[in-house]
Amino acid sequence: AVVSTQSTGNTILLVCGVLLTAGGILVLVKAHDFFPEIEPYSKSEDPIGYTLIVAGVVLLVVGGLGSYGVFGGSSFALASYFFVILTLVFLESAALIYLGIERMKVRSSMLDGLATIFSKFNNGTAGELEMATVSTTQLAFQCCGFEG
């Protein structure tokens, strides 16, 4: 039962890795064909594509090591699998700690961006995406304007 659960989990990781990698490549090659509304607002989708590719490769490596360790009975693959998972947990914890420490900077950056969007909306220079952002924000928070 444990081997079946581990193999299913590793197979899911492999499939997700392939899908994320393919999605990242698709974003790099054809982003504006699938998302034409982001073209005027973004300088480049490269960071998104590269992030998806890296995440996909990490999932492929983790799923591959786990699958090989379970099916092949390789203690080295299982130890490598454990080391990679442990490293990912530490990196994720470090990222959360960093965001916790820098939360005021992140918050002010987000508020500045939102203030710019509301300013464009109030000046009548907002595009379709900014108008949708303002409408969605006001609807979600049941308020009017940036200050209200």
Side-chain angles (χ1 to χ4, degrees):
V2 173
V3 172
S4 174
T5 304
Q6 288 176 340
S7 63
T8 303
N10 290 320
T11 303
I12 290 171
L13 283 176
L14 285 169
V15 170
C16 289
V18 169
L19 291 175
L20 276 177
T21 303
I25 292 169
L26 194 63
V27 166
L28 286 176
V29 174
K30 297 270 189 186
H32 293 299
D33 292 344
F34 292 104
F35 308 108
E37 63 275 357
I38 66 171
E39 186 171 3
Y41 304 104
S42 66
K43 296 178 182 142
S44 173
E45 287 75 34
D46 289 353
I48 296 169
Y50 291 131
T51 302
L52 290 174
I53 290 170
V54 167
V57 168
V58 167
L59 287 178
L60 278 169
V61 168
V62 169
L65 284 172
S67 293
Y68 183 67
V70 169
F71 292 125
S74 170
S75 60
F76 176 74
L78 285 176
S80 299
Y81 175 77
F82 173 75
F83 177 73
V84 169
I85 293 291
L86 189 64
T87 302
L88 290 175
V89 167
F90 282 135
L91 288 174
E92 188 173 324
S93 299
L96 286 173
I97 291 169
Y98 176 76
L99 286 176
I101 293 170
E102 297 291 330
R103 73 174 178 266
M104 294 309 291
K105 188 185 291 185
V106 171
R107 183 174 187 259
S108 69
S109 174
M110 288 173 50
L111 288 175
D112 289 345
L114 197 55
T116 302
I117 291 172
F118 269 90
S119 175
K120 285 182 179 180
F121 181 80
N122 292 335
N123 294 338
T125 59
E128 200 174 308
L129 186 62
E130 282 112 350
M131 290 173 34
T133 301
V134 169
S135 297
T136 304
T137 303
Q138 291 181 142
L139 183 65
F141 293 111
Q142 298 176 351
C143 65
C144 286
F146 184 70
E147 300 292 329

